Amino acid sequence: MTEDPQPAPGAAPRHAADVISPDEVAALLDGVKSGAVATDAGHGAGGPVRPYDFAAGEHIVRGRLVTLDLINERFARGLRASLGRLVQRPVEVADQGAQHQRFADALAAASVPSALYVVSCTPLACQGLLVMDAALVGALTDAFFGGTGRDLRHAAGAEFTPGEWRLARKCFELCVAELRAAWAGVVPLEVALVRLESNPQFAAIVPASEPMLVRRFRISLEATGELALLLPLAGLEGVREQLQSVTPGKAGRPCRQDLEAALRDSVLQLETVFSRIEITLGTLVNLRPGDVIEMERPDDVVVLAEGQPVFNARYGISAGRNAVQVLGPAARQPGGRANTDRRTA
């Protein structure tokens, strides 16, 4: 048997009659009408029909990258502590979870101006993007110079000042250090700055349709800003096996270290009750501006953490400010409440 020769370039195209004869077509139609030729073969997929963009070039993400979630949790904890030390006040860092987006869609969410750091990531063999929005840069700058952590300048799209750019660079360096520490138990990640942009239009690192892994972190002081990490999904293929592993690094030890680190970074509110008095409801109702309520100042007090007694302390003055000196651990009372003196007016 010989194969039919391919038509030569410029030759006339084949017609349907050259492939199947009219008699064969008539026989097939008769078979369909009589039921001799089955027409209900195959199985239809259940569920709703979803649109699919063949031009988007999206990759199929097989399985959840469990270790990558742990890495980002470590990064968020470390960044919270580092930023807190930088601005000398508590900073909340909340992981908003992972999203898969086209690069064009992810970049469109960035405001103008933003601090966009294009970085190279080894051994991921790709470039990534670290984005700080204007609200974050403004709030951190205000807190760094003694303010309350509000951002009032960038609501109208004001450009960054040289001081804000310098602080954004400090924050970027902290992010790089925390990324290295978070990835250390999986692969030794090296992050190097390639260039800096303030307009998202000039921060292209991959084609617009390239699928990206986007991780956003909401950072809160007095104001709330956002930090975003963008990595091409193709760059994670080389370490996919490590990122899908449930137990990265040494068994048991990383989990304990993470738990200890999370507990050390927990923020507690301490309070001290100096005195309590009891008065009648009638006395309370009759109080007027200028009335004096007498009470004694105790020498020893109890320091409470979230309402639980933790230390016995002595009241005093330190550097011109009210203070307490810790004397020792407090004895827990039944019910977990401190035994504070009640004095009757």
Side-chain angles (χ1 to χ4, degrees):
M1 178 182 290
T2 59
E3 295 183 355
D4 293 337
Q6 297 295 326
R14 290 186 176 184
H15 297 284
D18 299 330
V19 179
I20 184 171
S21 67
D23 293 338
E24 292 172 326
V25 173
L28 285 174
L29 292 176
D30 291 339
V32 169
K33 292 179 180 179
S34 64
V37 177
T39 58
D40 58 350
H43 300 278
V49 177
R50 295 181 299 172
Y52 182 81
D53 185 0
F54 286 91
E58 300 205 3
H59 294 182
I60 298 175
V61 181
R62 297 180 176 86
R64 184 184 177 196
L65 304 181
V66 180
T67 302
L68 190 59
D69 292 336
L70 297 177
I71 289 173
N72 284 285
E73 290 175 7
R74 295 173 190 167
F75 171 74
R77 286 197 300 269
L79 187 62
R80 179 174 66 243
S82 296
L83 291 179
R85 288 191 294 267
L86 178 66
V87 299
Q88 295 298 309
R89 67 181 60 229
V91 177
E92 291 296 327
V93 179
D95 184 1
Q96 302 298 296
Q99 291 180 311
H100 298 149
Q101 293 181 301
R102 295 192 315 157
F103 180 67
D105 297 334
L107 205 59
S111 59
V112 179
S114 292
L116 300 104
Y117 293 88
V118 179
V119 297
S120 62
C121 303
T122 306
L124 302 184
C126 67
Q127 286 189 343
L129 195 61
L130 188 148
V131 184
M132 303 180 202
D133 67 5
L136 174 60
V137 175
L140 289 175
T141 304
D142 184 73
F144 181 79
F145 289 103
T148 59
R150 295 180 297 173
D151 175 52
L152 302 176
R153 294 186 59 256
H154 300 103
E159 295 293 331
F160 291 146
T161 64
E164 288 173 330
W165 275 120
R166 286 194 293 271
L167 192 74
R169 180 60 182 263
K170 287 181 178 291
C171 296
F172 166 74
E173 293 170 354
L174 292 177
C175 290
V176 170
E178 295 301 335
L179 280 173
R180 289 172 178 164
W183 279 79
V186 183
V187 293
L189 182 69
E190 289 298 328
V191 180
L193 179 62
V194 177
R195 68 180 189 276
L196 169 63
E197 301 288 351
S198 62
N199 192 321
Q201 295 181 355
F202 305 118
I205 57 175
V206 291
S209 61
E210 183 75 12
M212 306 291 291
L213 179 66
V214 182
R215 200 89 183 199
R216 291 185 170 88
F217 300 87
R218 187 171 297 276
I219 301 177
S220 303
L221 290 93
E222 184 74 16
T224 299
E226 187 176 83
L227 170 75
L229 298 175
L230 284 70
L231 286 174
L233 284 176
L236 300 176
E237 291 296 333
V239 293
R240 177 173 294 276
E241 183 176 349
Q242 294 95 313
L243 295 180
Q244 288 180 328
S245 172
V246 180
T247 55
K250 296 181 180 179
R253 185 60 180 170
C255 180
R256 178 171 180 173
Q257 290 178 343
D258 291 343
L259 181 59
E260 291 176 351
L263 292 175
R264 284 195 299 268
D265 292 338
S266 299
V267 179
L268 298 176
Q269 181 178 3
L270 295 181
E271 60 182 4
T272 301
V273 179
F274 288 98
S275 183
R276 296 178 185 270
I277 63 171
E278 292 180 352
I279 61 175
T280 64
L281 180 59
T283 303
L284 177 65
V285 171
N286 292 325
L287 286 176
R288 296 293 182 266
D291 291 349
V292 177
I293 301 176
E294 296 182 355
M295 61 179 62
E296 298 179 7
R297 188 186 71 182
D299 293 328
D300 294 339
V301 295
V302 176
V303 179
L304 309 177
E306 302 296 336
Q308 301 298 320
V310 289
F311 297 114
N312 292 320
R314 179 162 297 164
Y315 173 78
I317 305 294
S318 176
R321 297 183 178 182
N322 294 326
V324 292
Q325 181 183 30
V326 175
L327 300 178
R332 288 185 175 272
Q333 301 297 325
R337 303 300 299 180
N339 184 17
T340 56
D341 292 337
R342 294 180 175 270
R343 305 184 185 278
T344 304

